[in-house]
Amino acid sequence: PAMSAVAAARPAAARHTVRCTAASASAAPLGMGARATMLPARRVAPQPMGVSATKPALTARRSVVTRAVEGDAPPAVRVSTDKVMIDPVVGAKRFSNYFWASVVTIGGIGFLITGASAYFQHNLVWFLDASEIKFFPQGLVMSFYGVAASLLATYLWLTINWDVGAGYNEFNKDEGIMRIFRYGFPGTNRRINLVSQLSDVQAVRVEISDGVNPRRVVYVRCKGKSDIPLTRIGQPLTLAEVEKQAADLAKFLSVPIEGL
């Protein structure tokens, strides 16, 4: 009977000891004599189908970076690698436009000064003699020419300032896109950004015509779309430049050349 009483008392004492130990561990912080007990990891039940997790997993997506933003400038040099080819396109900021804009400006100012000198019957500048020119009809006609030339010069200088027609042609195999970017006149079409898939490119077409108005243009033929011109406007390229550009692009895209 005594042994039975001792055995019955042991579980109660053990439970009391466990309660005291847990209370001491919770009351005393770590590092001051308390012993931390490793608890088994909680098992998270799998969520049923159709129920999203609290923190959704991040999905890696390939995004196309649009370079048609304010302040971006076309690349100044040509970039050609195994995966990317970028051809810069010269716009209105070229020597011929600067030359003709300067000539038209000087001519328009000269006509205006001559017409004004004929109207006031006094030479406004010493190197333009209008003493023998009557305002009607010679002076009036010169004034009209001066106003027209001044308007044309203003248009040319604004076109040069806006760099109309400048841009680049980008062919990117990593992203699988073809981007044709051009600067236009201010407004809704200031930045023209045409993006197509490289898989839609069927061929590279070359158009060459000589004569009074020579035309040498390289096109890209896309499936379901009209041909897209790639060369600059207003100043035709030489025959060697056209052939080299078409050959390099056809080799890069692995498509045939038409028109040569």
Side-chain angles (χ1 to χ4, degrees), residues 20-233:
C20 294
T21 305
S24 300
S26 61
L30 293 178
M32 297 181 63
R35 292 183 297 174
T37 305
M38 297 297 294
L39 299 178
R42 296 178 58 187
R43 185 175 181 181
V44 180
Q47 295 186 358
M49 296 295 293
V51 179
S52 59
T54 304
K55 295 182 179 180
L58 299 178
T59 304
R61 296 181 180 178
R62 177 176 295 177
S63 60
V64 178
V65 180
T66 303
R67 294 177 177 84
V69 296
E70 189 67 30
D72 283 353
V77 295
R78 185 174 185 267
V79 178
S80 180
T81 62
D82 295 337
K83 297 296 183 180
V84 179
M85 176 182 290
I86 301 178
D87 290 324
V89 178
V90 181
K93 291 184 177 180
R94 52 179 182 265
F95 175 76
S96 60
N97 285 349
Y98 280 105
F99 173 78
W100 288 114
S102 302
V103 170
V104 173
T105 301
I106 295 174
I109 294 175
F111 279 115
L112 284 176
I113 293 177
T114 303
S117 299
Y119 177 79
F120 293 107
Q121 296 182 354
H122 175 72
N123 294 331
L124 299 180
V125 293
W126 58 271
F127 56 86
L128 290 178
D129 187 9
S131 58
E132 299 181 357
I133 298 178
K134 297 182 179 181
F135 180 73
F136 186 83
Q138 293 89 350
L140 184 61
V141 173
M142 288 188 174
S143 299
F144 174 77
Y145 288 160
V147 171
S150 299
L151 293 177
L152 179 60
T154 302
Y155 168 78
L156 292 176
W157 286 116
L158 288 177
T159 303
I160 294 173
N161 182 42
W162 294 326
D163 201 10
V164 177
Y168 59 88
N169 307 320
E170 178 184 357
F171 303 91
N172 196 322
K173 290 184 178 179
D174 291 335
E175 298 179 357
I177 62 170
M178 173 186 67
R179 176 181 285 108
I180 309 299
F181 176 75
R182 296 290 185 274
Y183 280 118
F185 290 97
T188 56
N189 294 327
R190 170 57 179 163
R191 292 174 296 276
I192 303 173
N193 189 32
L194 178 62
V195 180
S196 301
Q197 299 295 325
L198 284 181
S199 58
D200 295 338
V201 178
Q202 296 178 338
V204 176
R205 186 172 68 87
V206 179
E207 181 180 347
I208 299 176
S209 60
D210 296 328
V212 180
N213 187 18
R215 184 177 178 84
R216 299 184 181 96
V217 186
V218 178
Y219 294 90
V220 171
R221 175 168 296 176
C222 296
K223 180 171 55 179
K225 299 179 182 179
S226 58
D227 296 349
I228 303 175
L230 302 180
T231 53
R232 60 176 180 259
I233 301 175

